[in-house]
Amino acid sequence: MLMKSDTPAGQAAPDEEGTPVSVKIRERLAAAKKRFNANDNIAEFIEPGELEKLLDEVEGKMQGVLDSLVIDTVGDHNTNNTARRVAKMYLNEVFKGRYVAGPTITEFPNAEHLNELIIVGPITVRSACSHHFCPVIGQLWIGVMPNEHTNVIGLSKYARLAEWIMGRPQIQEEAVVQLADLIQQKTRPDGLAIVMEASHFCMGWRGVKDMDSKMINSVMRGVFLKDPNLRREFLSLIPKKSSS
């Protein structure tokens, strides 16, 4: 079966020089000695126009998967464009955080010298586990203790940063740390706290098939780590989602 680009199913779509675009991107990463784990962002190594070529390549590989699953994508009207849809879903939606640069965040000085606890949430989390590419769906809360040198960002920007970090194959424990690193870099607060609660479909859809279990984890930094009273205040102000 040939794809629209006349590329045999399951083979990488070559560019005009005959080299698959994924190979070129990997070569740039290797030359820069940069890792490209599932939850890494590689946008700076993708040149203009290459994402569309990568989409064609993933489509071809996905068609090969469907063929190996013995799914008739010619005779079955429900799956005759599934390879393209899945490729677009991965590159342009659920794993977009790997392939595009981070959102532009306007930072303002703390002109009023705010120094009271700020809590943002719940922010909806949509990701996928690195092990099975099954959805991870949940919520997170962010606590910030600013100081006079802290950069102030809009509330919606926390959600945009979370979406960018979570839009990759993730392990929940690592995702929260990545988000904490990013927010700390952007805002430079005295303290930062993040709590995330999520359902993992790799546990509910497959495996033990337990849909009720959730994973909760947290990151505490700065004064949240040192001051138990502040930590308790933050945790007490987070709605008990699981019991609602």
Side-chain angles (χ1 to χ4, degrees), residues 19-239:
T19 303
V21 67
S22 64
V23 173
K24 291 191 169 188
I25 296 170
R26 283 170 176 264
E27 288 173 347
R28 292 182 203 125
L29 287 158
K33 294 182 169 57
K34 295 288 187 178
R35 74 175 201 179
F36 48 100
N37 289 0
N39 62 356
D40 288 329
N41 178 272
I42 59 171
E44 65 179 296
F45 299 95
I46 301 175
E47 296 182 353
E50 286 188 335
L51 264 183
E52 186 62 32
K53 294 178 181 177
L54 195 59
L55 181 62
D56 292 337
E57 181 177 334
V58 174
E59 178 186 1
K61 294 292 182 68
M62 190 61 214
Q63 183 61 50
V65 171
L66 295 172
D67 291 343
S68 293
L69 289 172
V70 197
I71 295 175
D72 181 4
T73 58
V74 176
D76 181 359
H77 63 279
N78 290 316
T79 58
N80 59 22
N81 200 34
T82 291
R84 186 71 177 180
R85 286 192 293 265
V86 172
K88 290 172 70 175
M89 177 187 71
Y90 282 145
L91 291 178
N92 299 338
E93 297 179 278
V94 295
F95 297 158
K96 184 178 180 180
R98 294 199 76 232
Y99 304 106
V100 300
T104 301
I105 303 296
T106 303
E107 303 160 19
F108 303 96
N110 187 0
E112 299 299 323
H113 294 176
L114 302 173
N115 62 353
E116 299 293 336
L117 173 61
I118 300 170
I119 298 177
V120 183
I123 295 172
T124 300
V125 173
R126 302 176 186 86
S127 190
C129 77
S130 305
H131 297 152
H132 297 94
F133 279 16
C134 289
V136 175
I137 307 292
Q139 294 181 324
L140 62 80
W141 293 261
I142 300 169
V144 177
M145 179 59 73
N147 59 51
E148 62 182 25
H149 304 295
T150 297
N151 294 326
V152 178
I153 64 176
L155 292 181
S156 66
K157 303 306 186 290
Y158 290 101
R160 292 186 184 278
L161 292 174
E163 181 182 29
W164 186 61
I165 291 293
M166 298 298 168
R168 313 165 190 180
Q170 283 284 12
I171 299 302
Q172 184 170 332
E173 306 93 304
E174 296 177 358
V176 173
V177 171
Q178 281 189 327
L179 181 58
D181 290 343
L182 183 59
I183 294 174
Q184 194 162 344
Q185 173 191 342
K186 295 284 185 183
T187 62
R188 295 181 299 164
D190 274 349
L192 176 65
I194 299 178
V195 170
M196 177 174 165
E197 177 184 289
S199 298
H200 291 244
F201 281 53
C202 58
M203 185 176 178
W205 188 30
R206 55 161 301 280
V208 297
K209 298 181 180 177
D210 184 349
M211 289 298 296
D212 295 325
S213 293
K214 299 180 187 297
M215 179 177 181
I216 302 173
N217 67 320
S218 66
V219 171
M220 302 286 169
R221 293 185 177 173
V223 291
F224 285 100
L225 192 60
K226 299 174 183 177
D227 186 343
N229 291 325
L230 179 63
R231 185 163 62 250
R232 278 194 293 268
E233 179 184 0
F234 167 68
L235 294 173
S236 70
L237 291 172
I238 294 177

